[in-house]
Amino acid sequence: MERVPITKPGYDALKKELSYLKTVERPQNIKAIEEARAHGDLSENAEFHAAKERQSFIESRINELEYKLGNADIIDTKNLPRDRVVFGCEVVLENIDTGENVEYQLVGPDESDIEKGRISVQSPLGLAIIGKGIGDEIKLKAKLAGVESGCQAEFTIYRCKNGLVDCASPIIIEGEHIANL
């Protein structure tokens, strides 16, 4: 079994979803199945088939969450090294061409949400910057589906909220827009 890194808030969110499925969704679904059965002929009962399909989804999601929680490696983000980019830290990258800053937090794969500024440590960008510090240069090549010649952007690790400050570490992204990482 491979341990998967996760923050404490991410772990708590998965536990909360699991609890909701077991204590609210599953019992509601059981009632829906019972009510549909009471309507008679099950072979042509659309409500029964829909409830059984929902039951399958709920049970699959419960199994998936139990597996993820069982393999979760909760990382305490308060006691991280302060000299490099590590799991849980919030990194500010500066686009060298435009001067625009983007901020990301490195999180586990189940917590990533690019719209909220959270990228997986297993994503191409996450893998490129993890462990990097002052003066490190990073070159990342990634391709967009259906695009023969990719775009390129350079970034500098500007700040990491776990202690890393103003360093000159160009990050070169070739072939994929930063928002897709």
Side-chain angles (χ1 to χ4, degrees), residues 46-120:
E47 288 177 16
F48 176 77
H49 292 289
K52 290 297 280 184
E53 189 173 309
R54 179 76 181 144
Q55 180 185 39
S56 176
F57 169 79
I58 291 169
E59 295 305 320
S60 293
R61 184 64 180 157
I62 287 172
N63 288 335
E64 179 184 6
L65 290 170
E66 287 175 340
Y67 178 82
K68 287 178 178 185
L69 290 167
N71 292 310
D73 187 10
I74 302 170
I75 307 294
D76 182 5
T77 58
K78 295 176 186 159
N79 299 319
L80 299 173
R82 305 228 177 255
D83 61 343
R84 63 187 181 278
V85 178
V86 294
F87 179 87
C89 78
E90 294 177 12
V91 182
V92 178
L93 304 174
E94 180 182 1
N95 184 317
I96 293 173
D97 295 333
T98 66
E100 181 181 332
N101 288 345
V102 289
E103 185 171 335
Y104 296 113
Q105 180 183 20
L106 293 177
V107 295
D110 294 314
E111 303 171 89
S112 63
D113 183 344
I114 194 72
E115 306 231 342
K116 293 181 180 176
R118 296 191 303 250
I119 61 168
S120 170

Side-chain angles (χ1 to χ4, degrees), residues 3-9 11-12 71-76 87:
R3 305 294 289 170
V4 179
I6 192 167
T7 63
K8 179 73 168 120
Y11 183 84
D12 291 343
N71 292 310
D73 187 10
I74 302 170
I75 307 294
D76 182 5
F87 179 87

